[in-house]
Amino acid sequence: MKKRSLFRKNEAGRAAGLLRRLAAVTAILVLVMGLCAFDGMGQKVYDQAGLLTSSEQEQLQQAAVSAAYETSLDLIFVTTADAGGKSAMDYADDFYDDGDFGFEGDNGSGVLFLIDMDNREIYLSTAGNAIIEIDDDEVNAILDAAYDRIIEGDYYGTFTAALDGIRYYSTNAEHGENVTGEYDPEAEDYTIIDIEPEPAREPSFWEKIINPVGAGIRAIGAAIASFFATTIMKRRAKTRSTINYKTYQHGSVHMRVQQDILTHTTQVTRHIQRASSSGGGGGGHVSSHHMSSGGHSHGGGGRHF
Amino acid sequence: MVVSYKCPQCGAPMEFDPETGKLSCAYCGLITTIEALEADPQENVQFETVTEKPETVQNENGTFRVYRCPSCGAEMLTDSVTSATVCAFCGTPGLIQDQLTGEKRPTKIIPFALTRQQAVEEFRDWSKGVFLTPRNFTQASTLEKITGVYVPYWLHDYRTQIRLDAHCTRTNVVRHGDEETTYTQHFNVVRDMDVDYSRIPTDASEKMDDATMDLLEPYDYSDLKTFDMPYLSGYLAERFTYTAEEMEGRARNRARSFAEQTARGTISGYGSVSIVNQQINFRKTNEEYVLLPVWMLNYRFKDQNYLLAINGQTGKRVGTLPVDKGRANGVFIGLFAGLFVLLTLLGGLL
């Protein structure tokens, strides 16, 4: 009996429990979402230049949101026909700063990919963790892929290539090793800190003395100095002339004829070869970054098309 | 004829003293001017004429004339150009008068201004600054061997006329974008000028090395005095081996080089200068036969002779001091070891 009634009671409580659990999960989800502050419903695609069809915008919006959860980066895609006199870099950085973007909150981590028809440039602006996760080489790789599409006039393809690149490179093992950073929700800012390259362990005094390279350099230095010293001594053993062409001159020079006549002018023109490419940086994974006019750190790079 | 000046007071030989510029007696300390000596030669000065015509002897070193010391009567061997010497036995100065008269008489002389002791100090200071000279170089026994020599010089005066024809260019480069244009202006440059040279010296002694003698220059000609025999008392002196005519070529070469530099120096402000034609004419305006003072040291080290000289007027040091290779290597190794340890102790900077 008791068991039965218990069972019955359970019947009713089971539905309620299910509801409670659902509410709890929803609450936790909402809480987690609230904590990460990522707005999955917000607009991710801003096609101000009208380069995409509405279905393309729709697909890109969905892809951007799902990729955002995957990469913990807010992905923003922008086109513009009028950069307002700004460079592509400034336009992209300012758009990101002004738009309340960022995975952790305002000015948090994210990537903005811009097609700037005004400057004829594609620009990838990284912020927060994205600066670290997508290093300079990877920025170039993403731009390479996007560039192949944009020169075809395939704008949607440009964005999807960029999206695939961001998704891949932000989650791979490689990242800029020269910087670290942290998001401060109170200040709503992400601080990028440059890490000094780890100094090599200072060798001990005796290690320095025994070190054959150091000893060799010291020996060469000492030998050169000693050689100069003895050479100077030997030179001092000799004497040099202390007269010059004026010593025995008597009176001043009397000039009979002094003429400097311009006879003709010749001219040679040549074409200067300009250096075609600037040399790349050294090895290692490096993320470079700069400060936007809004006072926030951004990384990234762009390419003219 | 050998002449010797004797102290009017004690009869000892008198020598020229660079410090006072007068003759002094080493024994009684009497100092008298050259003018006073010559004013009354019969009373104050005793000339001794020992031989009218010198005998000659020949040995493996050449031909020598034999005079007799006016003081002790010992033989004084001189070669064909010696005009002043010192008796090897008693130290009495002997002036060979027939080498100092007529054409062989110098017109002027710069007397010694540096005493023997000052000259020795010069050599010692010089050696101190070098560190690498053999240890016995600075010993008194070495340095006391220095001799004061009046070297015969010709002083040549020239008026030169030099003409240069040169092709000179000046370039400037203008850039327009990727085009770089080099404009070259060509000039026809002429210089024709007179330059006077006064008292270019050439050493007229066969025995003296020209290069060493040139380095002794410059002498300060404001100290040139009219020649008088007493200046030579106590020093060695020679008469010229080469006549002014024989030295003409060398003197002209020197004048040419000076004139070229002067003329070349008046062409300036061009990027390139190439002399197309050069003409130079000399007109000899004067020449003088003078004696100039030099302190000499012949030093023999490891089978090599070193001729070192000091300008007897200005103290300028000339020649190459002997370098003791062993000592040089020792100094090198010492410096090397010291520096190596020092560099290591400075925290093993490298």
Side-chain angles (χ1 to χ4, degrees), chain A residues 43-204:
Chain A
Q43 187 184 356
K44 303 302 171 199
V45 179
Y46 297 82
D47 183 19
Q48 302 167 125
L51 303 178
L52 303 175
T53 64
S54 56
S55 68
E56 284 172 344
Q57 288 185 30
E58 191 64 29
Q59 286 173 50
L60 193 58
Q61 169 79 22
Q62 283 175 17
V65 171
S66 71
Y69 286 113
E70 199 182 312
T71 59
S72 295
L73 298 173
D74 198 358
L75 307 186
I76 313 298
F77 296 93
V78 182
T79 68
T80 183
D82 177 14
K86 290 178 185 175
S87 69
M89 181 181 89
D90 288 342
Y91 188 87
D93 291 351
D94 292 351
F95 198 95
Y96 191 88
D97 290 350
D98 298 341
D100 289 354
F101 301 122
F103 194 81
E104 304 94 332
D106 193 8
N107 292 315
S109 302
V111 179
L112 185 146
F113 191 87
L114 169 71
I115 298 177
D116 180 349
M117 298 307 283
D118 193 2
N119 290 312
R120 304 287 301 171
E121 188 172 355
I122 49 174
Y123 194 86
L124 180 83
S125 173
T126 56
N129 286 333
I131 298 175
I132 301 158
E133 285 165 2
I134 306 176
D135 69 31
D136 291 355
D137 290 343
E138 292 173 340
V139 167
N140 279 323
I142 294 167
L143 290 169
D144 284 343
Y147 183 78
D148 289 343
R149 310 292 343 138
I150 194 111
I151 53 169
E152 306 274 294
D154 178 2
Y155 303 112
Y156 181 69
T158 306
F159 280 130
T160 53
L163 183 98
D164 290 343
I166 292 163
R167 200 201 262 139
Y168 174 74
Y169 287 118
S170 64
T171 52
N172 73 352
E174 284 165 12
H175 57 273
E177 284 152 4
N178 60 322
V179 281
T180 182
E182 200 178 355
Y183 184 71
D184 179 355
E186 302 235 326
E188 293 194 330
D189 191 18
Y190 190 99
T191 319
I192 283 283
I193 302 149
D194 284 281
I195 310 166
E196 288 295 313
E198 200 176 323
R201 189 181 64 84
E202 190 74 354
S204 77

Side-chain angles (χ1 to χ4, degrees), chain B residues 25-293:
Chain B
C25 171
Y27 293 90
C28 68
L30 181 87
I31 291 172
T32 179
T33 62
I34 290 163
E35 292 77 20
L37 271 182
E38 304 225 304
D40 198 355
Q42 300 306 316
E43 282 298 313
N44 297 329
V45 196
Q46 292 166 24
F47 296 81
E48 288 200 13
T49 310
V50 177
T51 329
E52 281 293 346
K53 267 206 166 178
E55 320 159 21
T56 57
V57 292
Q58 262 185 315
N59 64 15
E60 65 272 20
N61 291 322
T63 309
F64 293 92
R65 302 180 184 196
V66 186
Y67 293 93
R68 301 232 167 244
C69 172
S71 182
C72 69
E75 281 191 342
M76 282 174 140
L77 289 186
T78 68
D79 63 22
S80 60
V81 291
T82 305
S83 58
T85 186
V86 173
C87 173
F89 296 93
C90 67
T92 300
L95 312 182
I96 319 296
Q97 199 172 37
D98 30 313
Q99 299 281 32
L100 295 162
T101 47
E103 280 197 348
K104 298 170 193 165
R105 184 181 171 90
T107 55
K108 293 202 168 73
I109 185 168
I110 294 179
F112 272 94
L114 224 62
T115 63
R116 169 179 294 270
Q117 203 45 48
Q118 285 170 325
V120 167
E121 284 309 311
E122 284 291 331
F123 275 117
R124 200 164 272 149
D125 283 355
W126 185 8
S127 168
K128 267 184 203 156
V130 173
F131 301 107
L132 308 177
T133 49
R135 284 179 200 285
N136 75 356
F137 180 75
T138 45
Q139 284 167 8
S141 56
T142 305
L143 294 180
E144 290 301 331
K145 283 178 195 150
I146 62 168
T147 47
V149 182
Y150 281 107
V151 178
Y153 274 87
W154 291 103
L155 301 183
H156 310 257
D157 291 5
Y158 288 107
R159 162 154 291 195
T160 61
Q161 186 193 345
I162 182 162
R163 182 190 163 101
L164 296 183
D165 291 273
H167 171 234
C168 303
T169 63
R170 204 181 280 162
T171 59
N172 68 325
V173 178
V174 178
R175 255 182 96 158
H176 283 297
D178 287 353
E179 299 273 288
E180 189 185 79
T181 307
T182 306
Y183 296 94
T184 307
Q185 293 177 302
H186 298 261
F187 291 85
N188 178 14
V189 172
V190 179
R191 295 285 183 277
D192 192 342
M193 62 184 80
D194 291 330
V195 198
D196 289 352
Y197 292 100
S198 158
R199 290 171 169 165
I200 296 174
T202 54
D203 121 59
S205 166
E206 188 185 16
K207 288 178 211 154
M208 304 294 171
D209 171 47
D210 285 350
T212 306
M213 292 298 115
D214 285 354
L215 288 171
L216 284 167
E217 297 169 28
Y219 279 92
D220 179 0
Y221 292 137
S222 63
D223 283 349
L224 271 175
K225 304 262 193 301
T226 305
F227 177 76
D228 250 323
M229 278 178 51
Y231 286 117
L232 308 186
S233 265
Y235 302 90
L236 305 187
E238 281 186 9
R239 73 160 172 86
F240 61 87
T241 335
Y242 300 114
T243 63
E245 286 68 39
E246 285 170 313
M247 294 317 294
E248 188 80 27
R250 197 169 130 67
R252 282 186 181 213
N253 278 343
R254 298 193 72 187
R256 177 180 293 112
S257 137
F258 299 150
E260 277 169 6
Q261 290 176 66
T262 300
R264 184 65 182 72
T266 65
I267 304 176
S268 61
Y270 294 104
S272 81
V273 176
S274 66
I275 306 293
V276 181
N277 190 32
Q278 172 178 320
Q279 274 179 300
I280 184 160
N281 292 313
F282 298 95
R283 192 154 59 82
K284 182 165 74 182
T285 49
N286 192 27
E287 64 195 13
E288 279 179 292
Y289 172 41
V290 300
L291 296 181
L292 303 180

